[in-house]
Amino acid sequence: MLITCPYCGPRDVIEFTYQGDGNRERPQPASQDLDAWNAYVYDRLNPAGDHNEIWQHSGGCRTHLRMVRNTVTHEISSTGFARGDHNAAARHKAGGKS
Amino acid sequence: MSPRRTETGGRIDRLRTIRFTFDGAPYTGHAGDTLASALLANGVTLFGRSFKYHRPRGLLSAGVEEPNALVTVLRGEVREPNIAATMVEIYDGLVAVSQNRFPSLAWDVNAVNQLGGKILAAGFYYKTFMGPVFGPLKGTRFWMFCEHFIRRAAGLGKAGIAADTSRYERMNAFCDVLVVGSGPAGLSAAKAAADQGARVIMTELEPRFGGSANWSGETIDGAPAADWAARTVTQLEGHDTVRLLPRTTAWGYYDGNTIAALERVTDHKETPGKGEPRHRYWAIRAKTVVLATGSFERPLVFPGNDRPGVMLAHAGERYANDYGVLPGDRIALFTNNDSAYRSALALKKAGAAIVAIVDVRPELSAEMRSLATEAEAEIVSGHAVVATEGGKALSGLKVQRFDMNSGTLSGDARSIHANCLLMSGGWSPTIHLASQAGARAEWNADRQAFLPPKPTQQQWIGAGAFNGSFSTVEAITEGRAAGLSAAGATGAPAAVPDVEATPGNPDPAPVFEIKAKGKSFVDFQHDVTAEDVRLAHREGFVSVEHLKRYTTLGMATDQGKNSNVPGLAIMAEALGKPIPEVGTTRFRPPYSAVSIGSLAAERFGDLKPERLTPMHDWHLANGATMYSAGLWFRPMIYGLAGETIEQAYVREARATRESAGIVDVSTLGKIAVQGPDAGEFLDRVYTNMFSTLAVGKARYGLMLREDGLAFDDGTTWRLGEQDFLMTTTTANTGKVMQHLEYFLDVIWPELKVTVTSVTDEWAGAAIGGPKARAILAACVTGTAVDNTALPFMGIVRGQIAGVPVMICRLSFSGEMAFEVYSGAGYGTHVWEALVEAGKPFGLVTYGLEALGTMRIEKGHVTGAEIDGRTTARDLHLDWMLSKKKPFIGSAMMDREGLIAPERLQLVGLVSLDNRPLNGGAHIVEELDAANPHDSIGHITACCYSPALGKHIALALVEGGKARHGTRAFVSDPLRKRFGPVEIVSNHFYDPDGSRMHG
Ligand SMILES: [Zn+2]
């Protein structure tokens, strides 16, 4: 699998670390809503198809990417910085919770 | 002259004699021989015993698909089992042994299994051993009883136990066009692409490029095919943009057009060259892959088709033309297609007598008749072989009239005397890689074979026999077109090549099996017969995937390269369905066996990275015994002559508590946390407050995971308003760094903070003990180190021996102690100065063992206690959980299960029988061997405590705090250690901390 890092360009998957489902919403730090925390810590989508994921270019520039990857074909349809995109609507497009 | 070696011919180097042994007997061969061809030349026919029935087996093939002749190759103590003799190139000193025989290949006691064939039919294991339990010897219990004997009798080679000392490498490569296979199709594709200027890589699993051109006896563009191949290879070598990889098997087709390949670099050498790896794993990224992987000849299924001397027709031809070896001198052929006639003629020319060509087809073309005449062979058309004769070698065969349409036999059987039978059941394209890439094979009724589909995207292009185009002229034409197309050229391919070849129709008769009395093998390696397939059908297995698993057809190390299509055809007939409706299985990587070492490559052995502290050489020069912890090497003890490990660490710990000791702490993770929001960030990351920490002070911090469990601990030093130096445990450094980066990059991008790993930039030495301050005072300049200038958790900057240092007063040992940090390049210089200054004070160097001992005495936690299952409360660190702010894990840490009183909690243990305790031992309330009690916890760390004069341990015990002062027992059946302990507080030594506060 080739992943296109926004800084470094297309690089082998071996340089990256999977950092989990990109659809998770972290509650506000002071939130006492245990259901929301449980959902954030434990719930993971597992679609057969497009999935919104966070990866880190750990063997390169160390930036975090948000990308849409098809879990069946491994085709990556979009990649971009995870930074600053925490609550963006973009990640609801593919496999996101609505 | 060896009995089967021809006078001339072949591509072996007859001037070079090579000596090797097989099953202890010495043999000779020539350079260019495989183990198979060399043994065959010496008249060896028996190569192994079959998997289930221990039937004698000889060579079936001459290539990678060989199912029978599997051997174990020995290199010193290292043994590699299950290698096809056809793939082993001989070298001087090669030691190979046969497999699956006892006590010897010729006399095998388990061959008695042949007599009881019915017992070991399909599903034998399931039926006999997986049933319900009745009585003592039924079902699974019976299996447990018999397993030892069966495992010894059934199976393949024995794996060795000696460590593999070979070196393995990984390589990444990139190209425009990857050509897999170097027969006429592959060579033509590579040449066409290279001539267009494309970057080309060509892989060939055999030692020599050229594939069938090396032994077809054909003529291409006026030259012998082998010469044409050699000339093309020379032309390819002239291109800077071409890389040729012989002995390289492309075994996996992965996403993004990545091909995994295994190069056997030194397996064929007596002694590897300096620095050469044994195998090299290639990850090749290609814009386009040309699959020119050829095809496999299929065996025919008839009684006795596994007898030594029965071989694939092209294999016989290849042994003669490529290696100068005759598989027999009286050869019969049995075929359903034209290709065997060329083989017959080749063997005739090499000097064998062709006694008969038995063809299932009643009518033969005039061309085939004239080829048979040329080979002086009797044509026995409309007949089939119904039996073979002989023991460890073939002596003859029986044929009978055969009706191709009904599959029935008639008339009297006739005997033919022959010592070799060559069979051809048609050809199956080698579509494994295309199948791995997702292509669904399509049944072609003319070719009686599964052909690859037309590729939908320009991911791969097929050429030659891979496409079912079995003639050389088609292979070259398709290869050229594929090469041009892969290189992005639009021009028309060059003119049709001029090939002189024996004629032949590529379409076989649709005959796979001759049904007659006796065992007819479909899968030679797993001993699956045609009757096994039918039995499986009678028992209700209708899916091809289920059939495979029940009969184990195609599941041996050759993965059914020969047996797939015949097995499917027999299955289809049993089901009464056409073959395409029964379907084929999808091929998965690897195409052929891959060494695990090549996958591990530099992550193992001498290429594995090592992390050494700046003072590493000093430790070695001063008597340290080193200990590997992850990638790091750290001193374990600095033993004196004649000391045991325990004596050494007890001496080191005692001396530290009595005067002073110094230890290398450079391996601690160090992360610079800098920026205007650094304090705020640390408040969110740690359970306790850091924004309020004064500049020039340090604080012990605890991190939780998001789920509220403990994650890591360490001290963080505030060096400036916006400048913190965080330390982490050695083992967690990378994880903590990634944790911080994730939160800064993904969750809180608004925080103005940068984190930088500085572990390797600092050398650290911890010096502790009653004399530690005096030693510092003797060597530090530029700052005072008294209690006012350097209070507990204070930080000062000064110099030692002219080098700037940073000193923080903190303690892991429980003594008054200081951590002295300097630039990594000055680490040894500062260390030596400290050691020198400490001499008058009785300073000792101490290692990990004494460090661990003193931390156990103090009850400090490490990774053994912060094990991913414990909470801050379990470890009595709840005093660090701030109530003034949220932090990572704060919302989840108070969940019901995480605050339950019966959780495992940290305690201390004292051995009451004065014997050592063991890490990992369980704690129980009662010792009762007959009626063992449940574990209430386990030991995480243990030592002999010189300060207490007792064997002590830290442990995690259910409801541990409430048990202080009570008695329990260690129960360690593996190490046979049982005995009473007292549960106490984890703070064994100086619980109020008066020593470190001074
Ligand atoms: Zn990058």
Side-chain angles (χ1 to χ4, degrees):
Chain A
M1 209 157 75
L2 274 186
I3 294 175
T4 304
C5 170
Y7 282 132
C8 313
R11 313 292 301 182
D12 192 277
V13 65
I14 205 168
E15 296 181 7
F16 295 81
T17 307
Y18 183 53
Q19 290 288 29
D21 183 351
N23 300 292
R24 290 173 295 155
E25 292 272 5
R26 193 175 197 272
Q28 287 305 306
S31 165
Q32 293 298 314
D33 180 349
L34 205 56
D35 286 343
W37 280 105
N38 265 317
Y40 166 67
V41 173
Y42 294 112
D43 289 357
R44 299 288 185 277
L45 290 183
N46 185 23
D50 281 352
H51 189 31
N52 169 17
E53 301 174 336
I54 305 284
W55 290 71
Q56 186 188 18
H57 193 189
S58 48
C61 65
R62 310 273 306 176
T63 202
H64 289 79
L65 324 176
R66 185 180 293 286
M67 65 189 217
V68 176
R69 183 180 67 100
N70 188 302
T71 58
V72 178
T73 63
H74 293 184
E75 188 195 338
I76 297 165
S77 47
S78 77
T79 48
F81 290 114
R83 173 173 272 262
D85 190 30
H86 179 45
N87 289 311
R91 64 208 166 83
H92 290 283
K93 280 181 193 162
K97 284 181 272 189
S98 52
Chain B
M1 177 58 71
S2 307
R4 294 268 181 235
R5 189 75 77 178
T6 57
E7 298 284 335
T8 56
R11 235 157 294 286
I12 46 163
D13 182 354
R14 287 170 193 262
L15 297 177
R16 279 188 58 207
T17 296
I18 288 174
R19 291 164 205 289
F20 66 97
T21 69
F22 179 62
D23 279 344
Y27 292 96
T28 60
H30 293 299
D33 262 327
T34 62
L35 181 61
S37 69
L39 287 174
L40 197 61
N42 281 282
V44 174
T45 53
L46 182 60
F47 277 73
R49 289 271 171 181
S50 75
F51 184 71
K52 242 166 36 182
Y53 304 118
H54 288 253
R55 287 166 74 99
R57 290 281 165 82
L59 291 167
L60 180 73
S61 74
V64 66
E65 74 270 37
E66 177 59 35
N68 287 342
L70 302 184
V71 299
T72 297
V73 172
L74 303 167
R75 284 211 189 230
E77 294 292 299
V78 180
R79 51 188 300 134
E80 188 170 31
N82 306 334
I83 311 184
T86 51
M87 295 297 285
V88 177
E89 293 173 64
I90 59 167
Y91 52 84
D92 272 316
L94 167 69
V95 179
V97 294
S98 61
Q99 304 181 159
N100 201 27
R101 80 289 191 268
F102 179 80
S104 75
L105 188 52
W107 299 100
D108 184 289
V109 296
N110 287 298
V112 72
N113 284 353
Q114 290 178 62
L115 306 175
K118 284 278 189 292
I119 299 176
L120 291 171
F124 164 72
Y125 292 92
Y126 292 106
K127 288 168 192 161
T128 312
F129 298 114
M130 302 304 161
V133 177
F134 297 110
L137 286 181
K138 279 276 162 63
T140 48
R141 279 191 207 165
F142 187 43
W143 168 248
M144 288 158 77
F145 173 76
C146 297
E147 184 181 10
H148 171 74
F149 303 101
I150 289 176
R151 290 235 187 266
R152 174 162 159 190
L156 301 165
K158 203 171 63 182
I161 51 167
D164 182 358
T165 53
S166 309
R167 220 166 125 164
Y168 298 87
E169 257 179 30
R170 275 190 303 171
M171 285 285 279
N172 285 293
F174 304 84
C175 61
D176 299 313
V177 183
L178 169 66
V179 181
V180 183
S182 74
L187 281 176
S188 304
K191 174 85 166 45
D195 287 347
Q196 294 292 319
R199 294 175 304 162
V200 176
I201 296 176
M202 181 167 71
T203 63
E204 167 55 56
L205 60 80
E206 302 225 356
R208 193 184 299 122
F209 296 104
S212 65
N214 287 318
W215 46 268
S216 68
E218 294 172 343
T219 303
I220 301 173
D221 290 338
D227 294 351
W228 171 86
R231 195 177 67 213
T232 311
V233 170
T234 308
Q235 288 165 344
L236 285 169
E237 282 167 346
H239 286 275
D240 293 341
T241 52
V242 174
R243 187 197 288 273
L244 302 177
L245 294 174
R247 301 185 178 88
T248 303
T249 309
W251 57 261
Y253 201 132
Y254 293 97
D255 306 312
N257 248 18
T258 306
I259 303 290
L262 178 75
E263 182 185 3
R264 292 171 295 278
V265 183
T266 61
D267 277 354
H268 62 294
K269 295 184 180 177
E270 187 182 354
T271 320
K274 189 167 159 40
E276 270 184 333
R278 174 172 176 238
H279 289 167
R280 191 175 282 134
Y281 166 85
W282 288 86
I284 305 172
R285 299 186 172 285
K287 284 188 188 141
T288 308
V289 177
V290 174
L291 294 173
T293 47
S295 57
F296 287 123
E297 192 168 23
R298 298 192 292 247
L300 285 162
V301 181
F302 57 93
N305 63 344
D306 67 326
R307 199 175 300 284
V310 183
M311 193 182 284
L312 293 168
H314 86 281
E317 181 182 355
R318 184 169 174 197
Y319 281 116
N321 285 352
D322 216 4
Y323 301 105
V325 180
L326 290 179
D329 53 11
R330 287 182 56 81
I331 297 176
L333 290 98
F334 180 29
T335 185
N336 66 1
N337 71 90
D338 285 358
S339 70
Y341 290 76
R342 185 184 84 178
S343 303
L345 191 55
L347 285 153
K348 172 70 189 171
K349 285 180 180 163
I354 310 300
V355 293
I357 301 177
V358 182
D359 198 317
V360 294
R361 299 171 296 182
E363 305 290 337
L364 299 177
S365 66
E367 287 161 326
M368 291 310 110
R369 291 192 169 279
S370 90
L371 285 176
T373 309
E374 203 182 331
E376 294 175 35
E378 179 195 353
I379 296 177
V380 189
S381 58
H383 276 69
V385 177
V386 295
T388 60
E389 289 158 351
K392 286 151 198 149
L394 188 78
S395 60
L397 46 122
K398 283 199 162 75
V399 301
Q400 228 179 330
R401 181 160 294 285
F402 177 73
D403 182 339
M404 210 170 82
N405 296 316
S406 63
T408 51
L409 297 159
S410 61
D412 292 334
R414 171 190 155 192
S415 289
I416 295 175
H417 174 59
N419 56 11
C420 173
L421 173 61
L422 300 181
M423 59 182 164
S424 180
W427 296 78
S428 295
T430 312
I431 54 175
H432 299 62
L433 289 178
S435 174
Q436 288 179 23
R440 196 176 286 272
E442 292 160 3
W443 179 253
N444 183 294
D446 292 336
R447 294 284 188 279
Q448 289 287 298
F450 284 100
L451 303 188
K454 289 269 169 288
T456 45
Q457 300 154 328
Q458 183 105 333
Q459 188 188 20
W460 56 263
I461 309 172
F466 165 85
N467 280 341
S469 305
F470 296 136
S471 76
T472 301
V473 70
E474 288 171 299
I476 293 175
T477 310
E478 289 183 11
R480 282 179 185 165
L484 284 174
S485 168
T490 48
V496 177
D498 176 23
V499 177
E500 274 175 44
T502 43
N505 183 334
D507 298 332
V511 172
F512 294 92
E513 185 198 358
I514 311 303
K515 283 185 208 157
K517 195 170 155 15
K519 277 196 169 63
S520 307
F521 286 87
V522 184
D523 182 329
F524 291 74
Q525 197 177 114
H526 259 172
D527 263 5
V528 180
T529 64
E531 194 47 39
D532 286 331
V533 176
R534 278 188 282 275
L535 177 65
H537 168 251
R538 285 200 298 278
E539 293 184 354
F541 291 87
V542 294
S543 139
V544 62
E545 293 295 341
H546 292 164
L547 171 103
K548 270 180 65 173
R549 279 154 187 79
Y550 191 60
T551 60
T552 74
L553 173 80
M555 291 173 71
T557 66
D558 64 340
Q559 292 185 52
K561 289 186 177 70
N562 302 114
S563 60
N564 246 305
V565 171
L568 214 56
I570 292 164
M571 183 74 180
E573 198 204 333
L575 288 168
K577 283 183 182 172
I579 289 172
E581 281 181 34
V582 178
T584 184
T585 56
R586 177 148 172 206
F587 294 104
R588 293 185 178 82
Y591 168 72
S592 61
V594 174
S595 55
I596 300 289
S598 73
L599 301 177
E602 80 288 351
R603 303 174 189 93
F604 172 82
D606 66 338
L607 292 173
K608 191 179 86 177
E610 292 173 352
R611 296 188 78 180
L612 308 178
T613 75
M615 291 82 100
H616 182 80
D617 291 345
W618 191 95
H619 301 319
L620 293 184
N622 287 273
T625 302
M626 302 303 281
Y627 179 88
S628 87
L631 297 178
W632 284 106
F633 284 82
R634 305 179 68 180
M636 178 170 72
I637 50 164
Y638 298 82
L640 303 177
E643 265 185 340
T644 65
I645 292 174
E646 184 179 289
Q647 286 165 343
Y649 81 71
V650 165
R651 172 182 53 76
E652 290 170 5
R654 185 174 281 141
T656 302
R657 298 223 187 277
E658 283 169 5
S659 49
I662 185 169
V663 61
D664 184 350
V665 292
S666 306
T667 62
L668 284 180
K670 295 172 276 291
I671 299 171
V673 182
Q674 294 161 315
D677 295 324
E680 167 66 20
F681 178 57
L682 292 176
D683 282 349
R684 298 186 191 187
V685 166
Y686 278 123
T687 63
N688 44 344
M689 294 292 273
F690 276 81
S691 53
T692 55
L693 183 65
V695 172
K697 295 284 274 182
R699 183 167 286 168
Y700 175 59
L702 174 70
M703 290 183 202
L704 307 186
R705 308 190 312 207
E706 286 275 35
D707 63 5
L709 293 168
F711 176 33
D712 196 58
D713 67 342
T715 58
T716 284
W717 312 7
R718 189 161 204 170
L719 304 179
E721 195 54 41
Q722 302 186 3
D723 186 4
F724 291 82
L725 179 66
M726 172 188 285
T727 67
T728 73
T729 56
T730 300
N732 272 342
T733 313
K735 268 197 263 178
V736 171
M737 185 69 189
Q738 212 149 29
H739 179 74
L740 302 181
E741 286 173 328
Y742 180 82
F743 277 90
L744 282 176
D745 209 11
V746 180
I747 308 290
W748 302 314
E750 70 280 5
L751 289 184
K752 293 189 176 68
V753 180
T754 295
V755 289
T756 313
S757 169
V758 293
T759 302
D760 292 323
E761 274 64 28
W762 294 100
I767 180 164
K771 306 280 176 60
R773 178 144 54 194
I775 295 169
L776 284 188
C779 64
V780 174
T781 57
T783 177
V785 293
D786 58 52
N787 208 33
T788 316
L790 190 49
F792 186 62
M793 288 298 192
I795 301 165
V796 294
R797 289 169 187 273
Q799 292 91 42
I800 291 178
V803 169
V805 293
M806 195 160 63
I807 304 170
C808 180
R809 184 177 150 197
L810 50 83
S811 176
F812 194 57
S813 61
E815 299 300 322
M816 172 169 297
F818 306 85
E819 286 189 4
V820 180
Y821 279 15
S822 66
Y826 294 115
T828 304
H829 180 78
V830 170
W831 174 273
E832 283 177 335
L834 284 165
V835 170
E836 193 58 34
K839 272 187 182 159
F841 300 92
L843 177 74
V844 296
T845 51
Y846 69 93
L848 276 187
E849 288 292 331
L851 180 85
T853 297
M854 288 188 278
R855 80 97 183 169
I856 293 170
E857 289 176 337
K858 280 299 290 178
H860 289 315
V861 295
T862 66
E865 292 81 27
I866 305 182
D867 63 357
R869 293 175 293 185
T870 48
T871 66
R873 286 186 180 82
D874 300 338
L875 304 173
H876 315 306
L877 296 173
D878 32 329
W879 59 274
M880 300 181 71
L881 304 174
S882 170
K883 293 189 172 57
K884 295 182 195 143
K885 50 146 195 165
F887 50 85
I888 293 171
S890 60
M892 300 290 271
M893 67 181 186
D894 291 332
R895 285 177 295 159
E896 217 175 324
L898 297 186
I899 55 174
E902 68 274 17
R903 286 181 63 79
L904 297 181
Q905 291 173 351
L906 181 66
V907 296
L909 298 179
V910 176
S911 167
L912 294 180
D913 58 8
N914 246 344
R915 291 159 59 208
L917 299 167
N918 294 324
H922 280 279
I923 311 301
V924 294
E925 288 175 320
E926 302 281 347
L927 264 191
D928 181 356
N931 183 23
H933 282 240
D934 284 352
S935 168
I936 56 167
H938 61 272
I939 293 178
T940 58
C942 53
C943 68
Y944 174 76
S945 164
L948 279 70
K950 294 170 179 168
H951 290 284
I952 62 169
L954 293 176
L956 291 165
V957 171
E958 281 174 18
K961 202 162 190 177
R963 294 177 190 264
H964 285 184
T966 68
R967 176 182 280 230
F969 299 87
V970 288
S971 173
D972 188 1
L974 281 181
R975 288 168 286 199
K976 299 197 170 37
R977 168 73 174 102
F978 306 91
V981 292
E982 186 186 357
I983 298 177
V984 297
S985 159
N986 54 310
H987 301 296
F988 291 97
Y989 179 74
D990 188 28
D992 58 2
S994 58
R995 290 181 71 90
M996 69 180 182
H997 290 104

